[in-house]
């Protein structure tokens, strides 16, 4: 049985598709507060010539600007792919309350794979984490993207 995706994850996946259409790795992210989108982003490293323009970073910056604070304690980040070490670090620094992601990233992920950043003793903030929301669609999008480039 298939359940409809929560609207923020649906939007993150749509942003990932936009990234793919622009030639970027298909990752999208949305920040919500009290169920309302307060920031969103998609990968834009190639377009912006910016190695830090990961979807999560773009979404966190947008949310911080919109809310007028660097502390996003009462926010949830929805992302189509497990965050990397840079993004996991930014999530901790932003004090994101909850992280929801679609597909795991065994190669580059840093939340449930790799360094598992939130489990490190030097990590001062640990969001509630739940993965696998929309995993099939996100994984298929990534597979198709990289298949076309090989």
């Amino acid at each position: 049985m298939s359940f409809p995706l929560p609207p923020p994850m649906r939007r993150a996946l749509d942003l990932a598709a936009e990234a793919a259409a622009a030639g970027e790795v298909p990752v999208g992210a949305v920040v919500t507060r009290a169920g309302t989108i307060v920031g969103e982003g998609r990968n834009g490293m190639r377009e912006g010539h910016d190695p830090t323009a990961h979807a999560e970073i773009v979404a966190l910056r947008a949310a911080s600007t919109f809310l007028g604070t660097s502390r996003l304690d009462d926010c949830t980040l929805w992302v189509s792919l497990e965050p990397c070490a840079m993004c996991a670090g930014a999530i901790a620094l932003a004090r994101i309350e909850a992280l929801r992601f679609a597909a795991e990233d065994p190669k580059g992920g840093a939340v449930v794979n790799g360094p598992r950043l939130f489990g490190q003793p030097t990590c001062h903030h640990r969001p509630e984490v739940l993965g696998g929301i929309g995993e099939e669609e996100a994984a298929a999008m990534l597979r198709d993207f990289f298949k076309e480039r090989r």
Side-chain angles (χ1 to χ4, degrees), residues 16 19-27 42-48 145 149:
E24 300 280 355
V25 174
V27 181
R42 64 170 180 78
N43 273 0
M45 287 92 58
R46 290 176 179 230
E47 289 174 312
F145 179 83
R149 280 149 183 79

Side-chain angles (χ1 to χ4, degrees), residues 84-85 88-90 92 110-123 125-126:
C84 69
V111 176
V112 297
N113 289 286
R116 299 178 185 190
L117 188 109
F118 301 134
Q120 298 302 316
T122 54
C123 184
H125 176 77
R126 294 162 179 81

Side-chain angles (χ1 to χ4, degrees), residues 67-140:
L67 296 172
T69 181
S70 62
R71 291 269 176 121
L72 303 175
D73 327 76
D74 52 354
C75 294
T76 299
L77 176 65
W78 303 78
V79 62
S80 60
L81 184 65
E82 175 186 354
C84 69
M86 174 183 71
C87 293
I91 290 164
L93 292 171
R95 305 296 197 263
I96 286 287
E97 181 178 307
L99 169 64
R100 306 291 183 250
F101 67 88
E104 286 189 20
D105 185 356
K107 184 177 178 185
V111 176
V112 297
N113 289 286
R116 299 178 185 190
L117 188 109
F118 301 134
Q120 298 302 316
T122 54
C123 184
H124 300 296
H125 176 77
R126 294 162 179 81
E128 175 193 317
V129 176
L130 179 63
I133 305 166
E135 180 175 15
E136 290 178 26
E137 182 177 342

